[in-house]
Amino acid sequence: MTAVIEPSQDTYRVEEFVEAARERAGIPDFEFAHLDALDRLLGALDTEGGLNPAGRRSVRGALIAALATQAAAYRARVKNPEIASAEIHQPVFVTGMTRSGTTLMHNLLGQHPDLRSPDLWELMAPATDDRDEATRQALVRAAENFCTDYYTVAPALKPVHLWEPHRPDEDHRLTAPTFKTMAYELRYTVPSYGEWLKTQDQYDAYDYHRYLMQHIVWRVPTDTLVLKDPFHLWRADALARTYPDARLIYMHRAPSVTIPSTCSLTEIIRLARADQVDRLALGTLWTERFAEMLDLFARAERDQLRDTPVLDVDYQRLMADPIAVMAEICDFLGARWDGEVEKAFRDYLAANRKDKLGRHVYRAEDYGLDADELDERFSAYLTKYRIGGRA
C-alpha cells in the first residue's frame, strides 16, 4: 500500500497555476477549462506524489505549460481562423500495451514517404501563432533542452525510451492540457488521481486532442497522420467517436514481459522527480491497469470499434521479419509499397538496432511479479491473439 505523504507548506494551488499560465500565454483574463481535473492531479501530487524539491519545481513548470497550451491555442485561432477548418483524414493510431513494440512501429511508419508521425517538438508545443522557420527552430531548441534536462536526471531512460526533437512521440501530449491522461499516472505516484480517472469517459479529452491536432496539421500540412499512444487502449470508445474514420494498429506481446518492463520504465521516470518508488505498488498497478485496458478495448471492439479497421500485429513476428510485416501494414493502410518505401524501412532498422543505446535490464520479481502467474492471469489474451513465448 502506497504511503500517504503529508502536504508541505508549498502546496500546489490551482489558482497559482492559472495565474502563471495566463502570464506565460500573455492573456491575463483567459478562462481555462478542465480545472477540476487539474485540481485532482495537484491534490494527489501533494498528498501522494513524494516529489523532491527539484521534482516539485519541474512538475510545476510542466503542468503550467500544459495549462497555458489552452490559451495559446485560443490565441492562435484568433490570429489564424483557418485552423478550425484543418482536415484530419483517416488517421492511423498505433496502440497496444506499453512495451509491446508500439514505439518501433510508430517510428517505422514515420519513415514512409506518404505518412507522417508528428515529432516531439511539434507535440510539446502544438499551438503557435506562426508557422515560419524561426518558430520551428525555437520549438526544436526547446525540445532539445527538454531532452537534455530529462536525461541528465534520468540517464537510465535513454536505452528504454528515446526522446529526440525530430523523433515521433506519443500523442498523449495532446490530451495533457485537459489533465485526463494515464500518462500522468505513469509519471507520478498519484493513485487517487488514477482511480478518479477511471470514472471519467474522456470524451472531452479526445475532443481536445482533435482540436490540437488541427493546429499540428495547419503548421505542417499532412495528408495521413500516424499517431501512437498505448493508453488509447483505455479509451478506444472516445477515440472512435472523435475519429470515426481512424485505422488502428494493435500491437501484441506477452504481458509477462510488458508488465515488468512497464514497471521498470515507470520507476525510472518517477525517480526523475522523486527520491523513492514503491516497486511492489508498481507491480500491482500495472497488472491491474493492463487487465482493465484489455477488457475496455475488447468491449470497444464489440461496440464503438465494430466499423473501425483494426490490424493485430505480433511483436515477435515484427522482430523476426519486419519487412514482411511492414509490407502487410502498408497493404492494410492502402499505402504504397515499392523499392523506395522498403529502403526507408531497412535504413531505419539498420541505424536503430535493438540495444544500440544499451540494454533495458529488469526482473519481474523486483516488482513482486511472477512470469508464470502473469501468463496464467492473461491466458485468454494470449490464446485469443496466439501469443507464444516471452520475447
Side-chain angles (χ1 to χ4, degrees), residues 133-286:
E133 183 61 20
T135 298
R136 178 180 177 278
Q137 289 301 323
L139 297 179
V140 169
R141 287 193 297 272
E144 288 173 344
N145 292 336
F146 164 81
C147 295
T148 299
D149 292 347
Y150 213 107
Y151 288 133
T152 297
V153 295
L157 180 61
K158 187 173 284 190
V160 185
H161 186 82
L162 180 60
W163 279 319
E164 292 178 338
H166 292 292
R167 187 179 287 266
D169 197 45
E170 295 169 347
D171 58 293
H172 60 67
R173 295 179 184 278
L174 304 184
T175 52
T178 71
F179 307 100
K180 290 182 179 178
T181 168
M182 283 184 70
Y184 289 127
E185 189 175 26
L186 187 150
R187 291 176 192 166
Y188 316 123
T189 303
V190 284
S192 64
Y193 167 83
E195 290 303 306
W196 170 80
L197 188 63
K198 287 168 57 175
T199 70
Q200 306 300 299
D201 61 29
Q202 296 187 36
Y203 284 0
D204 55 350
Y206 274 84
D207 286 343
Y208 202 74
H209 182 288
R210 189 181 186 101
Y211 179 85
L212 288 180
M213 190 54 66
Q214 288 185 304
H215 287 256
I216 285 179
V217 300
W218 168 78
R219 195 163 58 192
V220 182
T222 305
D223 289 329
T224 304
L225 283 163
V226 180
L227 306 162
K228 170 248 179 177
D229 186 358
F231 300 138
H232 289 314
L233 285 182
W234 185 257
R235 286 292 178 252
D237 55 339
L239 185 152
R241 193 205 67 162
T242 306
Y243 296 100
D245 60 346
R247 284 84 56 79
L248 270 63
I249 297 172
Y250 187 4
M251 299 297 301
H252 298 286
R253 193 180 186 187
S256 54
V257 176
T258 61
I259 292 175
S261 183
T262 300
C263 290
S264 174
L265 170 66
T266 305
E267 179 181 12
I268 293 168
I269 289 177
R270 289 187 181 182
L271 285 175
R273 308 301 182 214
D275 295 328
Q276 57 185 2
V277 168
D278 185 339
R279 285 180 159 185
L280 297 183
L282 291 182
T284 300
L285 170 68
W286 290 117

